Structure formats: C-alpha cells, structure tokens
Amino acid sequence: MNIILLGPPGSGKGTQGELLSQRTGLLRVATGDLLRSAVEQQTQLGLEAKRYMDQGLLVPDDVMLGLLEEILSKPEASRGVIMDGFPRTIAQAEAVDRLLQARGRKVDHVLLFDVPD
C-alpha cells in the first residue's frame, strides 16, 4: 500500500505519518529526513542535494525523485510507503506514478490535511 500525505507545514502530516507507519508497518518517507540521510551518508544524490541546500535553493525534482527511487528499491519498502510531504507539484505526482508503475505498484490513498490557520 502506498499512501501520500499532503498538507501545509504544521498540519499533522508528520505525526499522523509516524502513527500510520507504526500501525501498518509501512516505511515512512519524509522529504526532510530523506534529504538529511542522503547528505549524511554522502551518497551521490545526497552530495548533489547538499549543493542546492547550501545555497538555500530547492532541491530539483530529478534529485528528489532519484532519492525516492532509491527508497522504493529497498526491501523494507516492498510492502509500500507513506510519503510525507512529497509530491508537492503535479509534475512530481506524475513522476511518482511512473516510479510506482515501473514496479507494478500505484498510489493507493492520498490524505489531505486541510486545517484552519
């Protein structure tokens, strides 16, 4: 099962994503955690991401999707993942669909956290 959590910062995506992960056993993939881990491990994509992060720029889609692809290829992601805060654009969502389709999978659920200010 592949789940996407969408919503503004502070809406509860991280908290609920962690609870869902604990209850379902699915791997939670949070964008910030993914970037920090790749940079810390000094992977090729992590070093590329760091160049953008150090300049205060957004990490390009191709780098983010490469990091997600690495996660999806891991055995612990074989049952599915909970994507916390990614994708953020239509282009990213379409790319996620393609990545999952290549593995014979799909997005099963999208949860939108629509909370008042």
Side-chain angles (χ1 to χ4, degrees), residues 21 51 60 64-65 76 78-79 85 93 100 115:
S21 177
R51 288 185 310 165
M64 290 304 303
L65 291 164
E76 57 266 35
S78 64
R79 292 185 47 235
L100 291 172
V115 296

Side-chain angles (χ1 to χ4, degrees), residues 4-15:
I4 296 175
L5 307 179
L6 299 175
S11 62
K13 296 181 308 292
T15 300

Side-chain angles (χ1 to χ4, degrees), residues 86-117:
F86 188 84
R88 293 183 183 192
T89 66
I90 291 171
Q92 289 174 351
E94 290 170 343
V96 167
D97 281 341
R98 286 190 299 275
L99 283 177
L100 291 172
Q101 277 182 340
R103 290 172 168 69
R105 296 162 58 183
K106 63 182 176 63
V107 173
D108 296 292
H109 301 283
V110 177
L111 303 175
L112 173 63
F113 292 74
D114 184 17
V115 296
D117 290 337

Side-chain angles (χ1 to χ4, degrees), residues 2 27 29 34 45 65-81 99-100 102-103 105:
N2 297 290
L27 180 64
V29 180
L34 185 62
L45 287 170
L65 291 164
L67 292 169
L68 180 60
E69 188 169 19
E70 286 178 354
I71 291 293
L72 292 174
S73 68
K74 293 184 175 190
E76 57 266 35
S78 64
R79 292 185 47 235
V81 296
L99 283 177
L100 291 172
R103 290 172 168 69
R105 296 162 58 183

